[in-house]
Amino acid sequence: MKAIRLTGLILFLFSLGLFLGSFFMSSYTLSESTFTQIVKAEHQEILAPEISKMYGVTYSISIPFVNDINTAVEKVNTKARAEQRWDQVIYDDYAGALTRASSTGFVPENKLLVFFLIYIVGAIGSMMFILPQIKLLGPAGIKNNNIFHNALNNRGWMGILTGILLIGFYILLYFFPAYITNWIIIVDPLQKVLNPSASSSQWFLYGFLYTFAVIVMGVRMIIKYRHSKYQIFRTFSVMFFQLAFAFLIPEILVRLNQPYFDFKNMWPLDYDFFDAWHINTLTKAGGLGIFMFVWGISLFAVGVPVFVYIFGKRWYCSWVCGCGGLAETAGDPFRQLSDKSTEAWQIERFIIHGVLVFAIIMTGLVLYNFYGGDFYISFNKWLITGILAITGAGLYFYHRKKFPSMGSRKVRNVVIGIVGFFGLGVLFSEVSVFAKYMPVDGSNFSFSSGNIRTVYGFMIGSIFSGVVGTGFYPLMGNRVWCRFGCPLAAYLGLVQRFKSRFRITTNGGQCISCGNCSTYCEMGIDVRSYAQKGQNIIRSSCVGCGVCSSVCPRGVLNLENRDEDGRFNQPILIGNDSISVS
Amino acid sequence: MQKIVIIGNGVAGITAARHIRKLSDDEIVVISGETDHFFSRTALMYIYMGHMKYENTKPYEDWFWEKNRIDLKRAWVKSIDFDEKQIQFEGSESMKYDRLILATGSQSNKFGWPGQDLKGVQGLYSYQDLELMEENTEGVSQAVILGGGLIGVEMAEMLHSRNIPVTYLIREKHFWGNMLPEEEATLIDNHLAKNHIDLRQETELEEIIDDGSGRVKAIKTKDGQVIDCQFVGLTVGVHPNIDLVKESKVETDRGILVDENLQTNIPDVYAIGDCAQLRNPPAHRRPIEAVWYAGRMMGETVARTVTGNQTKYQPGIWFNSAKFFDIEYQNYGTVLPVCPEDSAPFYWESGDKEKCIKIIYKKDNRQVVGVNLFGIRNRHEVWDKWLREQKPLEYIISNLPEANFDPEFFTHWEGEIQEKFNAEFPEQKVSVRKKGFLEKLFA
């Protein structure tokens, strides 16, 4: 058994190594014919003089190749801007297409083999590592042995390394997709199976890796919690929704010439739902498109209040949602790392509701713009940074005054984070990587509906949900995004807090304050603080994963949908007649 | 404003402190030599097993104490001068008090076995014991545990998590045989075997053998077996920790004797938790109850008395819980190891022998007096009500689904239990719970 696991681990590490190594397994040579084939005719003439010196030059890795293309484009654009020839500025992203067409070598020539060695062998290795646990872990039950002695699960070197790899992957995926052309090429055979006329993109790669992780780690989750049917059903559910709804159905829709659509995603998590291009795509795609549009709106307008009333927000967050699905499967080994302090809770409420408000304002402006309105506002960039700094400092001192005995380290960090972000926007407004996303223009921050949408997409959509949300799994727990950032979770949570039948019931006076529930709460809820008072747990952030109930050694906690009466019960413990009021 | 000093920062002492703060503005000092902050003693095993860190076992964040003006003092108390109302710490420091609450907890039993003080031999009660166990089990390839109780099985689980083979000696015929009826005890025996614990029933210790350097190398049983081991867990129960007051004016027996207001024979001095011994325990309760829940309830009660509202300690219906490896245990009311003459048991066990329920009822009026549940979670509130209202057996069997507290989608056992009841008592047939649609679908 142990030998099988070891072999599996070696196979998995081989695949992971090959995945990382395949980044370097191509060389890139731009030819004139590739150039003329890919670049639009009107750009060829102005771009050719700058780029022609690359013809025939072989690069051994993608980064300098991509950089040289981007530099050439940038040069042309700078010149065009300086001479106010606005129509000649190139907005097309040629780096990705040119890199892909210019790559030669082992990876492009052996796509199927590499795909097999990375993903099939990787999956087999993972299963060989995971499946023997059925025997090795002993009888079914909670087996959290040595989690806090483990370098992966307890922010040891393995956790930090995993975090760095994930964060690096997300930065490349979102901001430098042309660098990872090799990885995109490898999944092309699969893309062709699903849709022969398409070729794989960075998002197909991401969707595939995501689904792969949910399925493989879902099997692990089911084995780990196989004594609990609640956990088994729930895990099957997220695996199904990820595979079918998020990955396969949209690909099939595209193959059938229908709009790409994820039927389980919804606004405001799906923040581009009301973007002009998206509304237009759906409304112009015939009956199915209209249905998708109406479905998308009904889901958040009717589905959320009704289902949250009946089941709590868990129906979405830990049974259906893709972010939740990844957190509950690939993220499960890190759930114990969430911060349970009251201070973290205060920050959470501040940020997550802030993001919800931001999402609503952003969507409002986008729609206003869609219906012909024009919004434009411009602030002196120093002024706005100053106002943020003063507000932040105010919040900091307010916190110190109101909670003098509580450390204010985290409030300080959040303030520094937000002010710092805008400060950096100011300071680096000349640097192209940032300037693209920050609406800085000379000495002003200028906000139009369009660039508020860009800021949202950059800060919330990319940095928060991707880089921080998943990259920080091994550092801050598996629900960083869901807990601090997701505007849909905030909305679901408000309904759950104020109008729902869902609660976690505390079983009378049986709690022994051991702390397993709080430790394994991925949302950082201090479950014990309620349980030891005999109080039900009703928190807007609770995603209903049910792990507190699973790990409780005394059967104290149970997720229930019951009558609303008595949901917010009095903190009274059963068993002591000396003080109970009966 | 009076100054209330509490010795001991376990659940009893800390609950008292918290409730005193809720009820008054008095000055509160909690003294402990064990740790700076309150932690959950029942969670010590999980630190060793790596389920949690020490930090995770603290029920309150560190700022809580200052915010609630509960002063924490880390020191060992050397003696108490009850006439001067003064505490003497180790070293030269001392402290005055107006009222004193003793919550000094328990100590592990040792029965004078030869070799019981060797290196590698220990009990498990305090945080220091945990640190010692970490040190003592380093590189150990065989361990022996002595004593079939809750701490013993915890220790077995701890060692098991580190892949250290355990030989488990118990004096009784079955695990926890002085508390559990035979059927339930057998069920746990089997479960321990499933987890590769080498359980030796009716085996007693003769001596612990020195390896020549002051460390244990083996033990010898009364029937002459010699078992090699480098670690011995002595978990043969605990006794009240009364060393501090044994030689003083405070009346003691096994514990510190207290009246129904939890007051000792000395005015303004109280004792709660494991260290307290009730002079007149309520019916169905023991004079010393070294369990978490009793400690907590005494803390809640004494807080009222010391803040001027004389309150009798009146624990309600007895309840308890534990977990033996993967099997959870809940108990409501009285279930004795040997069923009394006037009562009878109703027992059901699942086919896999991992779940069972034992209900004890009076033979004459069929009133139910207690229940043991293994592997099934039931509602405290419902059982508390049923036992208070002295419901008869058939009522409870018939309404059993109401008490179910297992998570959603778990198999419901009430139907099987009711069928067994109907087979045993054909003249009192209850209706059997029907399976829902989903249950049948996923059965």
Side-chain angles (χ1 to χ4, degrees):
Chain A
M1 280 293 180
K2 286 195 176 139
I4 297 176
R5 285 200 87 201
L6 186 66
T7 315
L9 183 63
I10 291 168
L11 287 179
F12 173 78
L13 289 175
F14 162 76
S15 296
L16 179 67
L18 183 62
F19 175 77
L20 296 174
S22 68
F23 185 89
F24 304 98
M25 287 182 188
S26 283
S27 53
Y28 308 85
T29 317
L30 184 64
S31 69
E32 192 165 359
S33 62
T34 309
F35 178 77
T36 47
Q37 219 179 338
I38 283 168
V39 176
K40 288 178 186 161
E42 69 260 33
H43 292 150
Q44 286 185 13
E45 197 185 327
I46 46 171
L47 202 52
E50 288 299 335
I51 233 166
S52 58
K53 59 186 173 222
M54 288 175 73
Y55 293 161
V57 181
T58 301
Y59 294 72
S60 55
I61 40 175
S62 58
I63 297 172
F65 183 83
V66 174
N67 288 352
D68 281 357
I69 292 173
N70 285 336
T71 313
V73 174
E74 198 47 45
K75 247 186 186 170
V76 170
N77 283 349
T78 316
K79 206 171 155 209
R81 285 199 187 99
E83 293 166 13
Q84 307 211 328
R85 290 180 282 111
W86 302 113
D87 55 325
Q88 286 184 10
V89 177
I90 300 170
Y91 291 105
D92 300 73
D93 183 14
Y94 287 129
L98 286 174
T99 310
R100 187 168 186 154
S102 307
S103 62
T104 51
F106 187 74
V107 167
E109 283 151 27
N110 301 284
K111 281 188 267 192
L112 255 180
L113 175 69
V114 182
F115 183 89
F116 176 82
L117 289 177
I118 292 178
Y119 296 109
I120 308 295
V121 172
I124 293 170
S126 306
M127 286 306 126
M128 287 169 71
F129 186 71
I130 290 166
L131 294 176
Q133 292 290 65
I134 300 174
K135 276 262 170 271
L136 291 178
L137 283 179
I142 289 298
K143 302 288 146 86
N144 285 329
N145 294 346
N146 302 313
I147 281 191
F148 280 99
H149 306 147
N150 185 303
L152 178 63
N153 308 123
N154 189 28
R155 296 191 195 105
W157 67 269
M158 277 191 334
I160 292 169
L161 186 68
T162 311
I164 291 171
L165 282 177
L166 283 170
I167 292 167
F169 172 77
Y170 273 93
I171 289 174
L172 289 173
L173 177 78
Y174 282 119
F175 305 115
F176 307 99
Y179 289 171
I180 56 171
T181 300
N182 272 353
W183 293 347
I184 298 172
I185 292 175
I186 294 168
V187 292
D188 196 52
L190 181 68
Q191 171 77 75
K192 292 278 190 291
V193 170
L194 296 172
N195 185 1
S197 61
S199 74
S200 56
S201 67
Q202 88 214 65
W203 302 121
F204 182 80
L205 167 71
Y206 184 44
F208 171 68
L209 284 175
Y210 205 103
T211 311
F212 186 84
V214 168
I215 304 279
V216 169
M217 292 299 280
V219 173
R220 173 195 167 276
M221 179 81 184
I222 288 171
I223 290 173
K224 181 170 180 195
Y225 294 94
R226 66 190 185 282
H227 64 295
S228 165
K229 281 193 185 164
Y230 182 77
Q231 301 299 349
I232 293 173
F233 290 174
R234 193 172 67 82
T235 307
F236 268 122
S237 175
V238 293
M239 288 161 77
F240 166 76
F241 278 103
Q242 176 58 33
L243 179 65
F245 279 61
F247 187 62
L248 293 178
I249 294 176
E251 290 296 332
I252 294 165
L253 285 169
V254 174
R255 185 172 181 171
L256 301 174
N257 278 321
Q258 296 293 335
Y260 180 99
F261 196 78
D262 178 351
F263 282 93
K264 64 160 182 51
N265 204 353
M266 67 172 116
W267 183 87
L269 173 60
D270 181 13
Y271 58 89
D272 53 13
F273 188 82
F274 290 107
D275 280 6
W277 66 268
H278 192 245
I279 298 179
N280 287 333
T281 312
L282 294 186
T283 50
K284 284 172 189 156
L288 186 60
I290 300 283
F291 172 75
M292 289 168 174
F293 189 59
V294 174
W295 172 265
I297 291 172
S298 336
L299 210 50
F300 76 80
V302 183
V304 166
V306 170
F307 287 125
V308 175
Y309 174 72
I310 302 174
F311 302 115
K313 85 195 241 191
R314 56 188 173 145
W315 80 267
Y316 194 76
C317 295
S318 63
W319 283 75
V320 172
C321 179
C323 305
L326 190 70
E328 295 293 347
T329 52
D332 177 68
F334 307 111
R335 57 172 61 250
Q336 64 282 355
L337 301 176
S338 62
D339 189 334
K340 279 80 184 179
S341 65
T342 311
E343 204 170 12
W345 183 22
Q346 290 162 348
I347 294 168
E348 165 197 318
R349 284 179 292 177
F350 179 71
I351 297 183
I352 194 169
H353 296 117
V355 172
L356 177 62
V357 170
F358 187 12
I360 292 170
I361 291 174
M362 182 274 289
T363 308
L365 290 175
V366 165
L367 281 173
Y368 177 67
N369 193 246
F370 180 74
Y371 288 108
D374 197 12
F375 170 84
Y376 185 83
I377 192 166
S378 180
F379 299 101
N380 183 292
K381 65 185 181 187
W382 301 107
L383 184 71
I384 197 166
T385 311
I387 289 173
L388 278 171
I390 290 166
T391 317
L395 275 170
Y396 173 70
F397 285 111
Y398 169 77
H399 183 274
R400 281 192 61 171
K401 194 155 178 244
K402 193 161 173 206
F403 309 101
S405 47
M406 210 187 286
S408 36
R409 172 178 53 90
K410 283 172 206 135
V411 179
R412 194 186 62 210
N413 290 351
V414 168
V415 169
I416 289 174
I418 292 175
V419 176
F421 188 82
F422 276 87
L424 279 179
V426 171
L427 292 173
F428 289 99
S429 47
E430 300 304 317
V431 179
S432 58
V433 177
F434 262 111
K436 227 188 326 187
Y437 303 105
M438 290 301 293
V440 179
D441 177 18
S443 61
N444 287 331
F445 279 123
S446 348
F447 298 102
S448 68
S449 334
N451 55 25
I452 284 188
R453 168 67 184 74
T454 311
V455 171
Y456 187 93
F458 170 63
M459 280 178 64
I460 310 299
S462 307
I463 300 280
F464 207 159
S465 78
V467 180
V468 177
T470 310
F472 279 62
Y473 269 18
L475 307 172
M476 290 173 70
N478 54 333
R479 286 273 192 178
V480 179
W481 160 247
C482 313
R483 179 184 180 191
F484 293 98
C486 177
L488 178 56
Y491 167 40
L492 289 153
L494 288 171
V495 182
Q496 169 160 291
R497 170 66 180 71
F498 293 106
K499 192 70 191 167
S500 174
R501 293 157 50 84
F502 173 72
R503 85 291 308 271
I504 302 175
T505 308
T506 291
N507 197 11
Q510 287 278 26
C511 177
I512 52 164
S513 301
C514 70
N516 273 297
C517 51
S518 295
T519 305
Y520 289 93
C521 177
E522 54 189 356
M523 295 304 281
I525 298 171
D526 190 359
V527 182
R528 167 176 54 194
S529 67
Y530 301 85
Q532 65 190 358
K533 285 186 282 197
Q535 206 171 8
N536 291 345
I537 295 105
I538 300 166
R539 279 277 287 267
S540 60
S541 64
C542 174
V543 293
C545 69
V547 168
C548 57
S549 164
S550 295
V551 297
C552 176
R554 308 296 173 106
V556 173
L557 301 162
N558 198 12
L559 280 61
E560 297 190 297
N561 311 310
R562 297 179 88 188
D563 198 359
E564 275 185 280
D565 288 339
R567 186 172 173 242
F568 291 91
N569 65 335
Q570 291 301 311
I572 283 277
L573 290 160
I574 298 174
N576 189 358
D577 293 352
S578 339
I579 64 161
S580 56
V581 269
S582 55
Chain B
M1 201 174 80
Q2 54 176 349
K3 180 171 182 178
I4 301 170
V5 174
I6 301 167
I7 302 179
N9 71 347
V11 62
I14 288 297
T15 308
R18 282 175 42 243
H19 282 260
I20 292 167
R21 173 53 69 241
K22 285 187 192 189
L23 298 167
S24 81
D25 216 19
D26 294 335
E27 187 182 347
I28 306 170
V29 183
V30 180
I31 300 166
S32 167
E34 188 183 13
T35 51
D36 287 332
H37 297 104
F38 171 46
F39 69 97
S40 175
R41 194 171 298 291
T42 49
L44 276 178
M45 62 183 291
Y46 298 111
I47 302 175
Y48 182 88
M49 292 166 74
H51 291 211
M52 285 190 269
K53 291 185 290 187
Y54 168 63
E55 292 299 312
N56 301 112
T57 67
K58 292 197 245 179
Y60 303 93
E61 288 179 65
D62 292 351
W63 51 261
F64 176 88
W65 312 106
E66 191 191 326
K67 185 180 175 227
N68 290 292
R69 289 174 292 118
I70 296 171
D71 295 337
L72 304 178
K73 166 111 185 129
R74 177 84 187 263
W76 292 106
V77 175
K78 194 165 75 188
S79 61
I80 304 164
D81 183 337
F82 294 103
D83 299 324
E84 293 295 317
K85 289 191 162 186
Q86 179 160 306
I87 293 165
Q88 184 61 47
F89 294 109
E90 286 188 356
S92 58
E93 251 187 294
S94 63
M95 182 185 278
K96 286 270 190 190
Y97 66 83
D98 297 316
R99 287 182 195 239
L100 179 66
I101 300 173
L102 300 165
T104 50
S106 293
Q107 280 176 337
S108 303
N109 287 340
K110 283 185 175 183
F111 293 127
W113 291 288
Q116 66 179 20
D117 295 316
L118 288 173
K119 178 115 183 81
V121 182
Q122 68 165 109
L124 178 64
Y125 180 80
S126 66
Y127 186 75
Q128 284 71 25
D129 289 339
L130 180 75
E131 289 178 314
L132 183 65
M133 186 166 165
E134 193 69 59
E135 190 189 312
N136 277 343
T137 54
E138 173 108 37
V140 162
S141 61
Q142 178 65 46
V144 168
I145 295 173
L146 193 69
L150 294 180
I151 300 178
V153 74
E154 282 182 10
M155 224 185 211
E157 200 175 342
M158 290 159 79
L159 294 164
H160 183 70
S161 80
R162 302 261 178 112
N163 297 316
I164 299 170
V166 175
T167 305
Y168 193 175
L169 311 186
I170 55 175
R171 196 177 53 182
E172 296 78 16
K173 256 168 88 179
H174 299 285
F175 171 75
W176 215 21
N178 56 354
M179 292 294 285
L180 291 180
E182 191 168 344
E183 286 155 318
E184 292 99 302
T186 310
L187 184 130
I188 298 301
D189 284 358
N190 292 338
H191 187 67
L192 291 177
K194 228 185 212 179
N195 282 286
H196 311 294
I197 302 299
D198 177 11
L199 187 66
R200 312 268 180 99
Q201 290 99 334
E202 296 180 277
T203 308
E204 286 185 67
L205 180 69
E206 172 78 32
E207 62 167 323
I208 303 168
I209 304 164
D210 192 338
D211 72 346
S213 70
R215 204 190 153 94
V216 54
K217 85 166 177 196
I219 60 120
K220 193 171 157 194
T221 64
K222 281 205 171 143
D223 53 9
Q225 301 177 63
V226 175
I227 302 167
D228 289 336
C229 60
Q230 303 83 44
F231 177 82
V232 176
L234 294 180
T235 59
V236 284
V238 293
H239 62 270
N241 174 15
I242 55 169
D243 293 354
L244 186 59
V245 292
K246 224 176 192 167
E247 308 300 327
S248 72
K249 297 161 63 176
V250 177
E251 270 185 56
T252 60
D253 175 29
R254 279 161 58 221
I256 301 168
L257 289 167
V258 291
D259 62 17
E260 57 262 22
N261 291 321
L262 302 169
Q263 187 159 353
T264 64
N265 61 314
I266 297 172
D268 296 332
V269 178
Y270 305 83
I272 56 173
D274 288 11
C275 69
Q277 179 177 350
L278 299 171
R279 287 178 198 267
N280 304 302
H284 306 299
R285 307 286 299 216
R286 283 179 291 273
I288 299 173
E289 291 179 342
V291 296
W292 175 271
Y293 308 115
R296 194 196 73 216
M297 291 191 274
M298 288 185 183
E300 289 165 354
T301 312
V302 81
R304 301 204 156 205
T305 300
V306 298
T307 52
N309 175 11
Q310 283 278 329
T311 305
K312 283 187 181 163
Y313 175 58
Q314 291 174 297
I317 305 276
W318 167 261
F319 66 97
N320 200 4
S321 68
K323 190 175 181 186
F324 311 103
F325 282 82
D326 299 313
I327 297 184
E328 285 171 23
Y329 161 62
Q330 291 185 341
N331 158 230
Y332 302 105
T334 310
V335 181
L336 298 171
V338 177
C339 193
E341 272 299 300
D342 63 345
S343 306
F346 170 77
Y347 183 74
W348 168 89
E349 192 175 276
S350 66
D352 62 1
K353 297 187 187 302
E354 294 271 289
K355 295 176 175 61
C356 74
I357 180 168
K358 160 81 57 74
I359 304 177
I360 304 293
Y361 62 96
K362 293 258 198 256
K363 281 176 184 163
D364 49 1
N365 59 4
R366 304 179 67 80
Q367 175 206 335
V368 168
V369 293
V371 63
N372 272 345
L373 293 137
F374 288 79
I376 302 175
R377 295 177 175 182
N378 264 6
R379 267 175 223 278
H380 187 178
E381 199 182 343
V382 172
W383 271 104
D384 192 74
K385 187 165 147 258
W386 284 347
L387 294 171
R388 247 170 235 279
E389 293 174 358
Q390 310 190 339
K391 295 287 188 206
L393 180 64
E394 44 280 4
Y395 175 90
I396 285 178
I397 295 286
S398 158
N399 289 284
L400 211 48
E402 194 194 321
N404 185 296
F405 199 69
D406 273 334
E408 291 151 301
F409 308 116
F410 272 46
T411 309
H412 282 269
W413 300 102
E414 291 89 1
E416 259 189 50
I417 296 167
Q418 287 163 338
E419 274 167 7
K420 176 149 200 264
F421 175 84
N422 286 348
E424 280 178 33
F425 303 93
E427 68 286 1
Q428 260 124 3
K429 270 196 173 150
V430 298
S431 63
V432 174
R433 181 186 175 278
K434 290 198 176 61
K435 284 189 173 165
F437 172 71
L438 281 178
E439 275 181 71
K440 282 184 196 153
L441 196 67
F442 290 105

